[in-house]
Amino acid sequence: QVQLVESGGGLVQPGGSLRLSCAASGSIFSINAMGWYRQAPGKQRELVAAVTNSGSTKYADSVKGRFTISRDNAKNTVDLQMNSLKPEDTAVYYCNADLLNRRFERMDYWGKGSLVTVSS
């Protein structure tokens, strides 16, 4: 069993900051990459940021310069620091992990989502 648990979502004012965290646990052998996706009302799910185990990162153009993804490989966690938040950042944010479980199966796992609301 592998589980991803997100935390840190909530309500924040425009221009504010929020930090999302995701912890992967269970039958994990190794994690290749972890990332954050989001789905806003009426919009398709999109990649927000991702980081590989080698440290390579990728960001959506809409969040570059405002969001920072970081990963602790030893703890199997990934964080998303979100600064200068805008109302259009409002979405359900999902943690994602591409990993090898202890049965040596390459799998894609998802958290249940954490709601981020940016509003005054």
Side-chain angles (χ1 to χ4, degrees):
Q1 294 182 320
V2 175
Q3 290 184 314
L4 304 181
V5 179
E6 303 107 334
S7 62
L11 175 65
V12 65
Q13 293 184 326
S17 297
L18 207 61
R19 188 176 184 90
L20 299 179
S21 297
C22 175
S25 62
S27 185
I28 299 169
F29 184 83
S30 63
I31 298 177
N32 179 55
M34 298 185 75
W36 291 92
Y37 291 73
R38 69 185 181 188
Q39 187 164 22
K43 293 186 177 293
Q44 293 183 319
R45 186 185 68 180
E46 64 175 346
L47 174 69
V48 178
V51 59
T52 69
N53 60 2
S54 64
S56 298
T57 59
K58 181 181 177 67
Y59 294 93
D61 288 341
S62 60
V63 308
K64 287 180 179 177
R66 299 189 297 121
F67 291 10
T68 302
I69 190 168
S70 60
R71 177 182 172 184
D72 187 331
N73 293 341
K75 297 180 179 180
N76 293 333
T77 60
V78 63
D79 292 348
L80 184 68
Q81 178 65 47
M82 304 183 292
N83 298 326
S84 302
L85 283 162
K86 304 174 181 179
E88 50 263 44
D89 294 319
T90 296
V92 177
Y93 285 71
Y94 297 92
C95 180
N96 170 260
D98 173 16
L99 58 80
L100 189 70
N101 64 28
R102 290 175 182 172
R103 290 184 178 270
F104 302 102
E105 299 169 334
R106 190 67 169 264
M107 300 286 287
D108 195 36
Y109 294 90
W110 293 88
K112 294 182 179 180
S114 181
L115 178 62
V116 172
T117 302
V118 184
S119 176
S120 60

